[in-house]
Amino acid sequence: MSQNLERLKQLLAELFQLDQAELDFGIYRIMNTKREEITRFLDNDLLPQVREVLSTYERESRSVLEDELKKAKEQAKSLGFEDPAQAPKVKELQARYNAAFDVEAAENEVFSHLYNFFRRYYQEGDFISLRRYKEGVYAIPYEGEEVKLYWANHDQYYIKTSEYLRNYTFKLPSGKRVHFKLVEADTDKDNNRAQNGKERRFILSQEQPLAEENGELVIRFEYRPHPDKAKQADLNAAAVDRILHKTTGFDDWRRELASLRPTEKNPNRTLLEKHLTDYTARNTFDYFIHKDLGGFLRRELDFYIKNEVMHLDDIESETAPRVEQYLSKIKAIRRIAHKLIDFLAQLENFQKKLWLKKKFVVETQYCVTLDRVPEELYPEIAANDAQREEWVRLFAVDEIKGDLTTPGYSKPLTVEFLKANPYLVLDTRHFSEEFKRRLLASFDDLDEQCDGLLVHSENFQALNLLMERYRGQVKCIYIDPPYNTGSDEFIYRDRYQHSSWIAMMNNRVMQSLPLMQNDGILFASIDDHEHRNLTSLLIELFGDENYISTIIWHNSSRSSGKQISTVNEYIVVFAKDITTVEEWKLARKDAIDVARQVCALWNAGKLEEARMKLDTFIASQLEDDPEASAYLRNYVNVDEKTGRVFYAVDLSGDGPGERRYFRDRGVWLEPPPGRHWMSQEYIDRLYDQKRIVWRGERPYKAVFLEEALERPQNIIRIPTRAGRHELRHIFGSDMFSNPKPNTLIQRLTAISTRKSSFVLDFFAGSGTTGHAVINLNREDGGRRKYILVEMGEYFDTVLVPRIKKVVYSKDWKDGKPVSREGVSHMFKVLRLESYEDTLNNLELKRTEVQQRLLEEHTGFREDYMLRYMLDVESRGSASLLNIERFEDPFSYKLDIATGTAGETKPTVVDLVETFNYLIGLRVKTIDHIGGVRVVTGTNPQGERVLILWRNTKELDNDKLDDWFKKQGYNTRDQEFDIIYVNGDNNLENLKKPDQTWKVRLIEEEFLRRMFDVRDV
């Protein structure tokens, strides 16, 4: 085998991910099931085609030369040459014939070109779009834009969610499987690195590190900071030593694990050490999925051939046969390369399909304040220890003391205690499914009564699933993405730090655009590291004309720069369509506070103290900032009846006019000389608004101080520490690094939303945006709703508890509620299947009929292998929707990485909730009636929808017909427009002649919607 062929085969094994034969997880598991077949196809079917192409040309070229040589020899004889071979013409033709076409050399050159071409773009699991223009210079797509933003990964999806492998499985030489699993401590997953300098390590579990489960070996690790800050290499060596030399039992397993896998540096390396090193090392592969790998590589192949195979200068000076040799090599390169590209595109498109498919909801829970829970459920709630313990931990309810009128804490709780504490937040995860069904059935407009949505998911996947439900409804998006400082939580490919970040942001912001209203606003926090790139990207996505401003958030007084002290971050602001955005005005909070204090003092009879409070405030504000506070010079009056501070506005204008009636004094007044009053209708309206005040004998319009508005400025001064202090008060300790201050997000939300708006944050972090929305609603009586998406491990430890806490009490200190003044509230918590879960639930299956067809039709086999194999044979996998399992939709399971340890376990998927989001249903009711899960609502088109879920084994079509008629759906006057049912059914036959409702199969709609995706 030539060296170039061997290099090419090694590269192809890497490209098709066949070089990790022992690994048994993710895409490696899928490809390894086909490893032998793919290798055999490459070695025996595809690569030999190079010689076939070249040999065909060899026969053609030599046959032509052979005829010419024969004629030349005859001519030499006729010319008198005793030895025709000595004739100059014969010598020339003989030399050309001998060197006509060296197939092996040409073949070797083709293999070299194939290797060079594919190696050029492939780097550690990803294809990087580097189009060579000439040596050291690259071409980028340019379409005549005035300014062009380009990044190396512009045509790719950023998919990286973990620096480390959570699910690592490999096979021993005997075929037995070994799993590395994390237990007890946390995994470093979902874009969340260790914080506060506490670098975590993989540490062999001290208690039962080895276990045999179902014939497979499990080696358990913890992922936590080491008390002595030991290096990972030393911990690996200790783990290997303990497993191989200090563990009793597991002899057969340890014998195979101790087999050598030597390297030049480590000739005594064992199989266990090899895999443990791979497991604990940073996973530097698989950051991106190409959006159109096939198209990209085909374009690049033509470019490569024109520039590096077919040299025009050589062709001009070559003979026709040599030109034909060029063309023959090009033909061989193109033929094989195109087939390899088809195979690579199949693999990449398959992964893109898995990435883009809308993910299953694997868990749905509701958190509801008790005032919204039916009292008939209270005895069951009071008896629930898990819920009681959470309330003690979060709300310190054990410190509530009773008295003669108010019940105190007890164990177990009492129904009277629950009634006395209406803002305790019930979490359905502590209760049975049957309890949750009864609770949900008590709501007559579920989505309307739900105030917030928390989604534990990679944000791209969450936005993808939420698309139909919230399309065109979000008024405000606030995001606080990783700043890409190099030491924060963002994971990037080496040498592509900024392009990795831009690719990540581009995918996700673009995915959020359809969710926005036309007058929707995006606020994006950032610092100097990516400020320029973020602004340029948002101009690319929103258009330069929709740029509003960049807010300077002055958040620090400490210097953080060698040349210029950096004391600020930025908030970049864009509108979806700036022509539809109203003028922004913001209440002056300091003035509102003083106005309330003056009013309270005045009404308490402390008139002088009230006057002094007002005068002192105005004087101090004018001294601090005379220009910004000049408006206060007008607010020097106090209404004698109400104590409200006001600005007296003249009710007259230039020019004579008629008298007007002022009803509080029952008089008709003439206007001042040479002036006229405003219209009688206007004056009456002011009376209705209680805005007529008198100064002496002259009426004025009152503009109250608490109504004084200002246009927001692009400088906000709130220290970063305010966010830390706020969270420390809520939890009693530092639970999260650098949370944004609630007051900052509340200010942005106040200026950009209406009282019923949706607010979205898909980098939710500690939940500050949800907190800000709840507080803003508290202040102005709004019904804004929040959607928070977060995939970090702090979703359960910080975000969800924070929302529960701020609902229960408006103020906190040292982790305990101060006032216990809560709000009536309900929010939903979703957990979605991850991309890794999708991969881990794939199964490739080939039927006997398919196998026989492939064996009998070799021509079809190549086309099948190159283009269709993965799609066809993965059908029916649980993560790709197994329609047959819809016969019992309440027990559809996937193996899901659960908790923070990433351990997979069979989990029942919430098909009902998933389907609701797929069709964009605005849910009104969910109930369980006679074995049927009944969901009602409206779809985005405004059609009334009824969804019926049943176990078809228990409720066949005859029973369903009886149930349907018993519920009266077929007799009601067009109550629904569309009825969805799982399983073939006869409901259409029950329709009356004057009814127009349609019946659709859930399975068909589910499949269509789950994979109805487009490139972003």
Side-chain angles (χ1 to χ4, degrees), residues 653-674:
D654 289 337
E658 301 177 354
R659 64 180 184 168
R660 297 284 183 255
Y661 182 69
F662 291 87
R663 64 194 189 202
D664 62 329
R665 295 199 175 182
V667 297
W668 289 86
L669 286 184
E670 295 288 345

Tab-separated table of all heavy atoms in Angstrom, residues 653-674:
chain	number	residue	atom	x	y	z
A	653	GLY	N	-54.860	80.945	27.944
A	653	GLY	CA	-53.966	81.191	26.831
A	653	GLY	C	-54.137	82.582	26.285
A	653	GLY	O	-55.089	83.297	26.646
A	654	ASP	N	-53.252	82.985	25.390
A	654	ASP	CA	-53.331	84.336	24.817
A	654	ASP	C	-54.599	84.484	23.977
A	654	ASP	O	-55.007	83.560	23.266
A	654	ASP	CB	-52.109	84.601	23.938
A	654	ASP	CG	-50.838	84.759	24.770
A	654	ASP	OD1	-50.967	85.097	25.956
A	654	ASP	OD2	-49.736	84.518	24.228
A	655	GLY	N	-55.191	85.688	24.056
A	655	GLY	CA	-56.383	85.984	23.272
A	655	GLY	C	-57.637	85.929	24.119
A	655	GLY	O	-57.734	85.134	25.053
A	656	PRO	N	-58.593	86.764	23.832
A	656	PRO	CA	-59.823	86.840	24.645
A	656	PRO	C	-60.686	85.586	24.504
A	656	PRO	O	-60.579	84.845	23.537
A	656	PRO	CB	-60.527	88.076	24.091
A	656	PRO	CG	-60.032	88.187	22.679
A	656	PRO	CD	-58.623	87.694	22.677
A	657	GLY	N	-61.537	85.368	25.478
A	657	GLY	CA	-62.416	84.216	25.442
A	657	GLY	C	-63.546	84.332	26.424
A	657	GLY	O	-63.657	85.324	27.165
A	658	GLU	N	-64.420	83.286	26.456
A	658	GLU	CA	-65.598	83.307	27.298
A	658	GLU	C	-65.300	82.756	28.679
A	658	GLU	O	-64.272	82.132	28.916
A	658	GLU	CB	-66.709	82.479	26.646
A	658	GLU	CG	-67.108	82.979	25.263
A	658	GLU	CD	-68.154	82.073	24.623
A	658	GLU	OE1	-68.456	81.009	25.224
A	658	GLU	OE2	-68.651	82.431	23.556
A	659	ARG	N	-66.274	82.990	29.575
A	659	ARG	CA	-66.114	82.463	30.921
A	659	ARG	C	-66.351	80.956	30.940
A	659	ARG	O	-66.933	80.384	30.020
A	659	ARG	CB	-67.079	83.177	31.863
A	659	ARG	CG	-68.555	82.924	31.537
A	659	ARG	CD	-69.447	83.663	32.514
A	659	ARG	NE	-70.859	83.335	32.258
A	659	ARG	CZ	-71.844	83.639	33.089
A	659	ARG	NH1	-71.558	84.284	34.226
A	659	ARG	NH2	-73.091	83.322	32.803
A	660	ARG	N	-65.863	80.292	32.051
A	660	ARG	CA	-66.028	78.851	32.203
A	660	ARG	C	-66.559	78.555	33.604
A	660	ARG	O	-66.347	79.326	34.554
A	660	ARG	CB	-64.689	78.131	32.003
A	660	ARG	CG	-64.102	78.283	30.616
A	660	ARG	CD	-64.837	77.396	29.602
A	660	ARG	NE	-64.224	77.488	28.286
A	660	ARG	CZ	-64.729	78.158	27.257
A	660	ARG	NH1	-65.858	78.864	27.411
A	660	ARG	NH2	-64.123	78.168	26.094
A	661	TYR	N	-67.198	77.363	33.697
A	661	TYR	CA	-67.784	76.956	34.969
A	661	TYR	C	-66.806	76.070	35.736
A	661	TYR	O	-66.319	75.062	35.193
A	661	TYR	CB	-69.093	76.195	34.722
A	661	TYR	CG	-69.796	75.774	36.006
A	661	TYR	CD1	-70.373	76.731	36.837
A	661	TYR	CD2	-69.857	74.429	36.381
A	661	TYR	CE1	-71.016	76.358	38.012
A	661	TYR	CE2	-70.496	74.053	37.553
A	661	TYR	CZ	-71.071	75.008	38.357
A	661	TYR	OH	-71.715	74.644	39.532
A	662	PHE	N	-66.532	76.427	36.993
A	662	PHE	CA	-65.637	75.657	37.850
A	662	PHE	C	-66.478	75.069	38.981
A	662	PHE	O	-66.896	75.777	39.914
A	662	PHE	CB	-64.503	76.541	38.369
A	662	PHE	CG	-63.550	76.946	37.281
A	662	PHE	CD1	-63.805	78.075	36.511
A	662	PHE	CD2	-62.425	76.180	36.990
A	662	PHE	CE1	-62.947	78.436	35.482
A	662	PHE	CE2	-61.568	76.542	35.970
A	662	PHE	CZ	-61.819	77.670	35.207
A	663	ARG	N	-66.748	73.770	38.852
A	663	ARG	CA	-67.813	73.168	39.627
A	663	ARG	C	-67.491	72.972	41.105
A	663	ARG	O	-68.413	72.895	41.922
A	663	ARG	CB	-68.221	71.828	39.010
A	663	ARG	CG	-67.167	70.749	39.009
A	663	ARG	CD	-67.599	69.622	38.077
A	663	ARG	NE	-66.724	68.443	38.201
A	663	ARG	CZ	-66.610	67.524	37.255
A	663	ARG	NH1	-67.296	67.651	36.121
A	663	ARG	NH2	-65.827	66.491	37.433
A	664	ASP	N	-66.203	72.883	41.475
A	664	ASP	CA	-65.923	72.677	42.896
A	664	ASP	C	-66.288	73.913	43.729
A	664	ASP	O	-66.583	73.808	44.909
A	664	ASP	CB	-64.459	72.286	43.120
A	664	ASP	CG	-63.490	73.361	42.676
A	664	ASP	OD1	-63.820	74.092	41.727
A	664	ASP	OD2	-62.385	73.448	43.255
A	665	ARG	N	-66.283	75.110	43.048
A	665	ARG	CA	-66.687	76.329	43.743
A	665	ARG	C	-68.050	76.839	43.273
A	665	ARG	O	-68.562	77.832	43.793
A	665	ARG	CB	-65.635	77.420	43.580
A	665	ARG	CG	-64.317	77.067	44.250
A	665	ARG	CD	-63.454	78.272	44.481
A	665	ARG	NE	-62.255	77.940	45.226
A	665	ARG	CZ	-61.337	78.821	45.599
A	665	ARG	NH1	-61.489	80.105	45.295
A	665	ARG	NH2	-60.281	78.437	46.289
A	666	GLY	N	-68.565	76.144	42.253
A	666	GLY	CA	-69.896	76.518	41.771
A	666	GLY	C	-69.956	77.898	41.190
A	666	GLY	O	-70.966	78.611	41.334
A	667	VAL	N	-68.925	78.348	40.482
A	667	VAL	CA	-68.862	79.714	39.949
A	667	VAL	C	-68.502	79.695	38.476
A	667	VAL	O	-67.828	78.780	37.987
A	667	VAL	CB	-67.832	80.562	40.727
A	667	VAL	CG1	-68.256	80.706	42.172
A	667	VAL	CG2	-66.439	79.965	40.617
A	668	TRP	N	-69.017	80.714	37.773
A	668	TRP	CA	-68.580	80.983	36.405
A	668	TRP	C	-67.526	82.080	36.486
A	668	TRP	O	-67.766	83.151	37.051
A	668	TRP	CB	-69.749	81.472	35.554
A	668	TRP	CG	-70.749	80.372	35.249
A	668	TRP	CD1	-71.784	79.973	36.016
A	668	TRP	CD2	-70.758	79.591	34.077
A	668	TRP	NE1	-72.467	78.953	35.429
A	668	TRP	CE2	-71.860	78.696	34.209
A	668	TRP	CE3	-69.981	79.502	32.931
A	668	TRP	CZ2	-72.183	77.760	33.239
A	668	TRP	CZ3	-70.302	78.589	31.954
A	668	TRP	CH2	-71.377	77.718	32.105
A	669	LEU	N	-66.340	81.831	35.928
A	669	LEU	CA	-65.254	82.811	36.021
A	669	LEU	C	-64.912	83.371	34.647
A	669	LEU	O	-64.816	82.625	33.649
A	669	LEU	CB	-64.000	82.155	36.613
A	669	LEU	CG	-63.984	81.849	38.112
A	669	LEU	CD1	-62.617	81.290	38.501
A	669	LEU	CD2	-64.261	83.112	38.924
A	670	GLU	N	-64.708	84.662	34.644
A	670	GLU	CA	-64.182	85.302	33.437
A	670	GLU	C	-62.684	85.032	33.371
A	670	GLU	O	-62.021	84.962	34.411
A	670	GLU	CB	-64.419	86.814	33.499
A	670	GLU	CG	-65.869	87.220	33.476
A	670	GLU	CD	-66.515	87.029	32.100
A	670	GLU	OE1	-65.761	86.863	31.108
A	670	GLU	OE2	-67.755	87.027	32.035
A	671	PRO	N	-62.125	84.877	32.180
A	671	PRO	CA	-60.673	84.676	32.076
A	671	PRO	C	-59.915	85.949	32.424
A	671	PRO	O	-60.489	87.048	32.416
A	671	PRO	CB	-60.472	84.312	30.605
A	671	PRO	CG	-61.621	84.945	29.898
A	671	PRO	CD	-62.779	84.895	30.862
A	672	PRO	N	-58.648	85.841	32.745
A	672	PRO	CA	-57.840	87.041	33.003
A	672	PRO	C	-57.881	87.969	31.789
A	672	PRO	O	-58.086	87.523	30.647
A	672	PRO	CB	-56.432	86.468	33.233
A	672	PRO	CG	-56.657	85.053	33.646
A	672	PRO	CD	-57.868	84.611	32.909
A	673	PRO	N	-57.680	89.254	31.993
A	673	PRO	CA	-57.749	90.218	30.881
A	673	PRO	C	-56.826	89.829	29.710
A	673	PRO	O	-55.659	89.505	29.901
A	673	PRO	CB	-57.290	91.539	31.532
A	673	PRO	CG	-57.603	91.361	32.991
A	673	PRO	CD	-57.401	89.902	33.279
A	674	GLY	N	-57.405	89.861	28.504
A	674	GLY	CA	-56.634	89.565	27.296
A	674	GLY	C	-56.327	88.088	27.094
A	674	GLY	O	-55.563	87.746	26.185
